[in-house]
C-alpha cells in the first residue's frame, strides 16, 4: 500500500516555514463532503483517512512532525464512453449536414461533449499525503506528479497564508547520479550512499532521444554511461553512521523527486502514532540524503 502510513511513497520535498502551521486553520479548510461543486472539490482530511474531516489525529506535533492529506474529488467521465459519445455526435452532425465536418467543428463538438459528460460524471476521490517537518521547515508532498503538487501547494498557501517551494538544485543532478553509480560507498554527511544497480538512462543524438531501463545490474549501468547515456533516475540506498542496521531505500530522480521510498512494514495492531513517527523519520532521512547530494 502506498502512502505515508503504507509500505512505500513518492515524495516531492519543499521548504515551508513551520511557524505558519496552525491546526485550527487546517480544520477550517477541511474537506466538505456536501460541497456542491461543478468539477473539483477539495479540502484537508486526516492523514490517509478519506472520511476524517474533524479529528486530524496526526496534525498534533509528534517528534516534530505533523501529517495530513489533501482530498481532491474530480469528476472523471469514462474515456471509453467519452470517445463513443463524441464519435456519435460527430456522425450525427455530419449526417445532418450531409458532408464531413471541418476540424474546427469537430473540435467544438469534442469540447462540448467533454464538458457535458464531465459535469454529469461521478466524483473520483484522490488523497495526497503531506508530512511537515516542523524542526527543519521541510514539507514532503506524497506525489511525483507536478500537477498534483501544484494543486497541493496552492491549497496549502490558501490554508496557512504562506508559500511552500519545491527545492531546486544548482548542481547537475545527472552528474550526481553518475557519481553514485561509480562509487561503492559515497560519504554524504552522516550517510554512506551506494547504487542498487537499477535506473533509467537516456541519450539524445541527432535530436532523437533513446532510453533504456536497467534492473539490478551495475555493470549494465556503467556500460550505458560509457556509451554516453545519462541517468534520469537511479535506485540508491543509504545507511546512517548512527544506525548501521538501518537502510534507506529509494529512487532519486533528476527532478529531485524521491520515488518508491520503502517504509518499514507495521506489525499488526501496531500503535498508529508510533508508525507515523517511524515512517516520518524515514522520509526525513531520505530528504537529508537528497539535500546532502544535490543542494
Amino acid at each position: 500500500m502506498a502512502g505515508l502510513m503504507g509500505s512505500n511513497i513518492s515524495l516531492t520535498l519543499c521548504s515551508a516555514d513551520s511557524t505558519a502551521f496552525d491546526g485550527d486553520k487546517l480544520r477550517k479548510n477541511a474537506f466538505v463532503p456536501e460541497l456542491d461543486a461543478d468539477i473539483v472539490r477539495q479540502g484537508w482530511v486526516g492523514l490517509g483517512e478519506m472520511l476524517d474531516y474533524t479529528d486530524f489525529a496526526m496534525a498534533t506535533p509528534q517528534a516534530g512532525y505533523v501529517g495530513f492529506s489533501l482530498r481532491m474529488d474530480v469528476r472523471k467521465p469514462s474515456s471509453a464512453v467519452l470517445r463513443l459519445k463524441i464519435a456519435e455526435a460527430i456522425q450525427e452532425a455530419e449526417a445532418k449536414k450531409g458532408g464531413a465536418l471541418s476540424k474546427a467543428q469537430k473540435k467544438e463538438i469534442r469540447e462540448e461533449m467533454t464538458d457535458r459528460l464531465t459535469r454529469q460524471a461521478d466524483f473520483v476521490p484522490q488523497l495526497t499525503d503531506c508530512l511537515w517537518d516542523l524542526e527543519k521547515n521541510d514539507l514532503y508532498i506524497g506525489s511525483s506528479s507536478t500537477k498534483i503538487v501544484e494543486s497541493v501547494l496552492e491549497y496549502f498557501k490558501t490554508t496557512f497564508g504562506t508559500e511552500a517551494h519545491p527545492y531546486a538544485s544548482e548542481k547537475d543532478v545527472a552528474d550526481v547520479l553518475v557519481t553514485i553509480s561509480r562509487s561503492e560507498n559515497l560519504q554524504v554527511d552522516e550517510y554512506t550512499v551506494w547504487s542498487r544497480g537499477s535506473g533509467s538512462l537516456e541519450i539524445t543524438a541527432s535530436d532523437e532521444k533513446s532510453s533504456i531501463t536497467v534492473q539490478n545490474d551495475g555493470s549494465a549501468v556503467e556500460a550505458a554511461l560509457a556509451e554516453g547515456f545519462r541517468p534520469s533516475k537511479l535506485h540508491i540506498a543509504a545507511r546512517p553512521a548512527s544506525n548501521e542496521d538501518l537502510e534507506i531505500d529509494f529512487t532519486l530522480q533528476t527532478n529531485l523527486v524521491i520515488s518508491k521510498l520503502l517504509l518499514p512494514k507495521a506489525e499488526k495492531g501496531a500503535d498508529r502514532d508510533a508508525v507515523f513517527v517511524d515512517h516520518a523519520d524515514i522520509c526525513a532521512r531520505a530528504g537529508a540524503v537528497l539535500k546532502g547530494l544535490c543542494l
Side-chain angles (χ1 to χ4, degrees), residues 46-153:
L47 181 65
E49 299 289 344
M50 195 169 291
L51 301 179
D52 176 10
Y53 320 124
T54 56
D55 292 342
F56 292 91
M58 304 306 166
T60 299
Q62 300 181 66
Y65 304 110
V66 291
F68 41 88
S69 300
L70 183 65
R71 175 175 166 181
M72 292 180 282
D73 288 7
V74 181
R75 293 191 190 276
K76 291 184 178 180
S78 163
S79 57
V81 171
L82 184 58
R83 287 194 300 270
L84 176 62
K85 293 298 183 182
I86 290 174
E88 288 177 343
I90 291 176
Q91 184 181 63
E92 182 180 343
E94 288 181 335
K96 186 175 181 179
K97 178 182 178 182
L101 299 179
S102 67
K103 289 185 178 180
Q105 290 172 322
K106 290 181 180 180
K107 180 181 178 182
E108 183 178 356
I109 288 176
R110 282 195 295 269
E111 291 176 348
E112 290 179 355
M113 188 59 65
T114 299
D115 181 68
R116 182 190 308 173
L117 291 181
T118 297
R119 293 178 185 280
Q120 294 173 352
D122 291 333
F123 280 108
V124 178
Q126 174 182 277
L127 285 186
T128 304
D129 292 349
C130 297
L131 171 69
W132 201 345
D133 186 335
L134 301 179
E135 295 180 358
K136 297 180 181 177
N137 295 307
D138 286 336
L139 176 69
Y140 296 84
I141 299 176
S143 178
S144 59
S145 164
T146 300
K147 184 176 181 179
I148 291 176
V149 169
E150 288 176 350
S151 296
V152 173
L153 291 178

Side-chain angles (χ1 to χ4, degrees), residues 24-44:
D24 290 336
K25 290 182 178 180
L26 189 71
R27 291 174 175 82
K28 288 178 181 178
N29 289 272
F31 185 84
V32 180
E34 298 83 11
L35 180 65
D36 184 14
D38 288 336
I39 305 298
V40 180
R41 57 184 184 186
Q42 63 183 355
W44 303 113

Side-chain angles (χ1 to χ4, degrees), residues 64-291:
Y65 304 110
V66 291
F68 41 88
S69 300
L70 183 65
R71 175 175 166 181
M72 292 180 282
D73 288 7
V74 181
R75 293 191 190 276
K76 291 184 178 180
S78 163
S79 57
V81 171
L82 184 58
R83 287 194 300 270
L84 176 62
K85 293 298 183 182
I86 290 174
E88 288 177 343
I90 291 176
Q91 184 181 63
E92 182 180 343
E94 288 181 335
K96 186 175 181 179
K97 178 182 178 182
L101 299 179
S102 67
K103 289 185 178 180
Q105 290 172 322
K106 290 181 180 180
K107 180 181 178 182
E108 183 178 356
I109 288 176
R110 282 195 295 269
E111 291 176 348
E112 290 179 355
M113 188 59 65
T114 299
D115 181 68
R116 182 190 308 173
L117 291 181
T118 297
R119 293 178 185 280
Q120 294 173 352
D122 291 333
F123 280 108
V124 178
Q126 174 182 277
L127 285 186
T128 304
D129 292 349
C130 297
L131 171 69
W132 201 345
D133 186 335
L134 301 179
E135 295 180 358
K136 297 180 181 177
N137 295 307
D138 286 336
L139 176 69
Y140 296 84
I141 299 176
S143 178
S144 59
S145 164
T146 300
K147 184 176 181 179
I148 291 176
V149 169
E150 288 176 350
S151 296
V152 173
L153 291 178
E154 182 178 347
Y155 202 71
F156 181 90
K157 180 181 178 181
T158 298
T159 300
F160 298 107
T162 188
E163 292 188 5
H165 300 279
Y167 281 100
S169 177
E170 295 183 357
K171 299 180 181 179
D172 186 324
V173 181
D175 283 344
V176 173
L177 300 185
V178 170
T179 299
I180 297 172
S181 68
R182 289 176 169 169
S183 302
E184 291 186 5
N185 293 295
L186 181 66
Q187 293 301 130
V188 181
D189 299 328
E190 67 164 315
Y191 295 90
T192 300
V193 181
W194 67 96
S195 169
R196 292 290 197 191
S198 298
S200 296
L201 302 97
E202 299 176 344
I203 189 171
T204 301
S206 302
D207 297 325
E208 292 186 4
K209 181 177 288 187
S210 300
S211 62
I212 61 173
T213 299
V214 176
Q215 293 292 334
N216 304 318
D217 190 341
S219 61
V221 172
E222 179 56 36
L225 294 175
E227 292 178 13
F229 280 81
R230 300 273 287 165
S232 58
K233 59 183 178 181
L234 188 69
H235 184 189
I236 67 176
R239 179 182 295 117
S242 58
N243 186 352
E244 295 188 354
D245 294 328
L246 178 64
E247 283 189 5
I248 315 301
D249 187 297
F250 62 94
T251 294
L252 179 58
Q253 302 178 184
T254 50
N255 60 358
L256 298 188
V257 167
I258 294 170
S259 61
K260 300 179 181 178
L261 173 63
L262 296 183
L263 300 172
K265 184 177 180 180
E267 296 182 3
K268 187 175 181 179
D271 180 74
R272 186 172 168 81
D273 290 355
V275 172
F276 167 68
V277 172
D278 192 20
H279 287 195
D281 182 63
I282 296 296
C283 293
R285 288 183 179 277
V289 173
L290 182 154
K291 287 182 176 181

Side-chain angles (χ1 to χ4, degrees), residues 14-27:
C14 308
S15 62
D17 181 6
S18 63
T19 61
F21 174 70
D22 186 332
D24 290 336
K25 290 182 178 180
L26 189 71
R27 291 174 175 82

